[in-house]
Amino acid sequence: MNLRKPIRSVIPGVQGLVLGVLANTTTPVTGRTVAGLLDGDATTSGVSRVLGQLVEAGLVTCEPAGRANLYALNRDHVAAPAIEALAGLRGELLTRIRSTLATWTQPPVAAWLFGSAARGEGTSVSDVDILLVRPDGSDRDDIWTTQTMRLVDQVRAWSGNACEIVDYTVRELRELVEGADPLVTSLRSDAVELAGEGPRSLLRLKPAT
């Protein structure tokens, strides 16, 4: 799955990009605005051409506003719910991961998404990186290993992306914080909470005693 523009995994090209923008927009917008929201992934002329095609198909509405036209996803169209679901694939993936973690026999102290997937920059070949925090004194026993390997397989099945899991005990994570490990900087900036404690509390540097 394209983790940056999930809808492109099913609707490739400019058409998917435009539909993805309109599915996440609640008010009508100009074609120039749509092109601007695509961060250079499509030209203004290309967006304009696709918008015209989508209007002809009835998927998009067009209303004149002075010299410009305002476009919106036609949410009365029978395809609109499917388009909105495709645009929300990343959120659905996170929901499934969270739901699975909530069923674990040995739950983590914390679980966070990090890396390009957390930043919304991942592509269809990017890994889904997950950091798990285990309680101090716990081992990677059979139950823990079975849980984590099953999650790896599930994420692959749900998204098509490889899943990489790293895990630390609370103490090990604290050592990374105290050592100013680069991973900690990345986690503080980008981590997305999946289960348990949030990054803000666990990654706080405690005052020296």
Side-chain angles (χ1 to χ4, degrees):
M1 183 172 76
N2 187 311
L3 297 168
R4 178 169 172 261
K5 307 280 188 182
I7 198 168
R8 295 188 74 175
S9 303
V10 183
I11 307 176
V14 179
Q15 190 173 80
L17 292 172
V18 170
L19 286 171
V21 167
L22 295 180
N24 289 303
T25 303
T26 57
T27 58
V29 293
T30 66
R32 188 176 296 277
T33 297
V34 173
L37 291 171
L38 294 179
D39 300 323
D41 287 336
T43 63
T44 301
S45 60
V47 168
S48 179
R49 181 172 60 254
V50 165
L51 282 168
Q53 295 168 351
L54 293 172
V55 169
E56 288 183 7
L59 287 165
V60 170
T61 62
C62 176
E63 295 291 339
R67 290 184 168 184
N69 290 319
L70 295 177
Y71 299 93
L73 179 68
N74 176 12
R75 286 180 163 80
D76 291 327
H77 198 286
V78 293
I83 292 168
E84 291 176 317
L86 291 173
L89 288 178
R90 181 176 178 275
E92 174 62 21
L93 175 62
L94 297 188
T95 295
R96 293 190 182 191
I97 294 173
R98 290 182 175 118
S99 296
T100 293
L101 289 168
T103 68
W104 277 18
T105 303
Q106 291 183 2
V109 173
W112 308 324
L113 185 74
F114 70 100
S116 61
R119 295 190 299 272
E121 298 174 353
T123 67
S124 57
V125 296
S126 299
D127 292 344
V128 176
D129 297 310
I130 298 175
L131 183 139
L132 302 176
V133 183
R134 291 181 286 114
D136 286 335
S138 64
D139 297 319
R140 298 184 183 93
D141 59 17
D142 289 344
I143 294 176
W144 181 263
T145 301
T146 298
Q147 290 178 153
T148 56
M149 294 308 298
R150 183 167 180 266
L151 180 59
V152 167
D153 292 341
Q154 288 174 313
V155 171
R156 167 72 84 171
W158 293 332
S159 67
N161 299 76
C163 177
E164 292 291 335
I165 291 181
V166 295
D167 70 89
Y168 298 97
T169 63
V170 174
R171 181 181 296 276
E172 289 169 341
L173 183 63
R174 174 55 51 190
E175 291 172 354
L176 293 181
V177 172
E178 293 172 349
D181 190 281
L183 174 61
V184 175
T185 301
S186 174
L187 291 170
R188 284 174 173 155
S189 173
D190 305 321
V192 175
E193 186 176 332
L194 298 172
E197 292 191 46
R200 181 171 297 181
S201 61
L202 282 182
L203 298 178
R204 184 176 61 249
L205 185 62
K206 295 180 180 178
T209 56

